[in-house]
Amino acid sequence: MSFVARIAAPLALALACALPAAAQQKDKGYEPQVGQAGKDVIWVPTPDEVVDRMLRMAQVTANDYVVDLGAGDGKIAIAAAKKFGARALGIEYNPDMAKHAQLNAEKAGVTGRAKIVQGDIFASDFSQATVITMYLLPALNLKLRPQILSMRPGTRVVSHSFNMEDWEPDETSNLDGRRAYLWIVPANVMGNWILEAGGEKSDLAFEQRYQKIDGHVALGPVHAGLRDTRLRGLAIAFAYVDHAGVRRDFTGRVSGGRMEGSFRAENGAEGRWHAARK
Ligand SMILES: C[S@@+](CC[C@H](N)C(=O)[O-])C[C@H]1O[C@@H](n2cnc3c(N)ncnc32)[C@H](O)[C@@H]1O
C-alpha cells in the first residue's frame, strides 16, 4: 500500500464517521444556556408555575395583547396564547434566542397568536399592549417606568422578582420564595375639577402619586377631605361628608379631562355625577 493510500483510507473513515455527527449537531439546533449573557440582563427562564401566576394575576383573557419584554425562550408569550387565548408578542434582543423562541411557538402550535421578534426593548414600541410581562432587573424596571406610566390607563404590568421602587404594586404574590408583582397603570387625575352632582357644583381637587390619590371638595369655606379614595386604571371612587354630616359615595370612570359615574348618599339620595377638568 502506498503512503498516500495508507493515509487516505483512515482519513476517509474518520471523515465518514465525523460527517453524520456534524449533521446531527446541526439538527439539534441552537441550545440556549441558562445564565448566558443578554444585552442588559442574562437569560434565566421564569418557572412555569410563576408564569401561570403572573398571567392569572394580570387576569389575561383572549381580548388581551400581552407583550413580554426580554422574551428568552418565549415561554411567557407562548403560555399567554396557549392557555389564555391572548395575542402575544415577545421581544428578545439575542437573534439566536429570538429564532429559538419563535420555533418554540411553532412547536406549541400558537404562531397564529404568539410571535417572538428580535428587538431591543428600549427601542421598541409596545404602547399597544394591554398586559406587559417582565423578568429583568430593578434598574431596567425603573428605566422602563416612565414609558409604562404613559401607557393606556388600565394596562396591567407584571414583573417576576423585581419591583418598581416607590411605585408600589397593586398585588404581590409569593410562590416558593419567588415574588411576582402586579401594577395597574393609573389614569391621571391630579389637579382641579368642577364636580356636578345632584344639581350642585363644587370644586374638587386631587393629589396623586401613581395609583394613590387623595384630595378635597370645597363646601363653601370648608375644604372637606376625601375619604376611601381609590384609583384602579380608569375606575375611581371617593367619598366625603357634606355640610349636613351626610356621607356621599362616588364611583365612576375617568375619560381624559372628564369623569362620570353614580353617587349614593347615606340619606338615600342617589344619582349621576360628572366632573370636568378646570
Ligand atoms: C431573565 S430573562 C427572562 C426571559 C423570559 N421573559 C422569562 O421570564 O422566562 C431576560 C431576557 O431578556 C433578554 N434581554 C436582555 N436585554 C434585552 C434588551 N435590551 N432587549 C430585549 N431583550 C433583552 C435576554 O437575552 C434574556 O433572554
Side-chain angles (χ1 to χ4, degrees):
M1 199 187 274
S2 74
F3 174 76
V4 173
R6 261 188 291 134
I7 293 294
L11 202 68
L13 186 68
L15 266 175
C17 294
L19 270 175
Q24 215 180 357
Q25 194 76 16
K26 203 173 162 208
D27 280 353
K28 257 200 195 161
Y30 173 71
E31 283 292 340
Q33 302 299 313
V34 172
Q36 72 186 26
K39 178 177 171 274
D40 294 297
V41 58
I42 60 171
W43 175 58
V44 178
T46 297
D48 293 350
E49 57 284 9
V50 180
V51 171
D52 188 73
R53 181 61 204 167
M54 287 167 78
L55 297 173
R56 285 192 197 280
M57 70 202 281
Q59 298 184 285
V60 172
T61 72
N63 295 326
D64 280 308
Y65 179 42
V66 177
V67 177
D68 186 30
L69 300 178
D73 63 5
K75 67 188 299 181
I76 296 183
I78 292 168
K82 198 169 176 117
K83 273 194 178 171
F84 300 88
R87 263 192 327 125
L89 174 73
I91 303 173
E92 169 57 46
Y93 189 78
N94 178 330
D96 291 330
M97 194 60 153
K99 243 183 266 162
H100 173 74
Q102 182 61 26
L103 215 69
N104 286 343
E106 278 164 31
K107 283 185 201 150
V110 292
T111 42
R113 292 193 303 278
K115 193 163 87 173
I116 287 80
V117 295
Q118 191 280 326
D120 185 338
I121 55 172
F122 294 105
S124 301
D125 176 12
F126 49 85
S127 58
Q128 293 310 303
T130 58
V131 175
I132 292 286
T133 59
M134 35 192 209
Y135 180 22
L136 297 168
L137 283 173
L140 302 183
N141 287 8
L142 282 189
K143 200 168 159 190
L144 289 165
R145 198 172 74 175
Q147 206 173 333
I148 290 173
L149 279 164
S150 72
M151 292 179 75
R152 275 188 300 229
T155 304
R156 290 93 81 208
V157 183
V158 272
S159 168
H160 173 197
S161 271
F162 304 113
N163 63 21
M164 289 210 247
E165 283 204 346
D166 60 334
W167 184 12
E168 286 178 18
D170 294 289
E171 180 189 319
T172 302
S173 279
N174 278 282
L175 239 149
D176 292 334
R178 288 175 178 271
R179 284 189 175 178
Y181 301 97
L182 166 85
W183 297 263
I184 300 168
V185 173
N188 172 19
V189 299
M190 178 98 161
N192 298 310
W193 301 73
I194 302 274
L195 170 69
E196 273 196 69
E200 283 171 28
K201 277 191 185 183
S202 335
D203 286 337
L204 173 68
F206 288 109
E207 293 116 49
Q208 178 172 7
R209 186 138 181 82
Y210 307 113
Q211 72 275 50
K212 304 241 161 85
I213 56 168
D214 202 354
H216 56 261
V217 60
L219 306 173
V222 178
H223 281 187
L226 299 182
R227 300 181 180 189
D228 299 324
T229 53
R230 197 179 69 237
L231 183 63
R232 286 284 174 280
L234 292 164
I236 192 164
F238 58 91
Y240 67 84
V241 171
D242 70 12
H243 278 316
V246 175
R247 178 179 162 127
R248 294 165 176 249
D249 275 90
F250 295 74
T251 56
R253 283 179 78 75
V254 184
S255 171
R258 212 181 135 79
M259 47 178 103
E260 61 185 330
S262 53
F263 72 89
R264 179 186 287 262
E266 277 174 339
N267 61 6
E270 55 184 32
R272 302 285 303 167
W273 66 275
H274 66 260
R277 259 197 197 281
K278 260 178 137 178

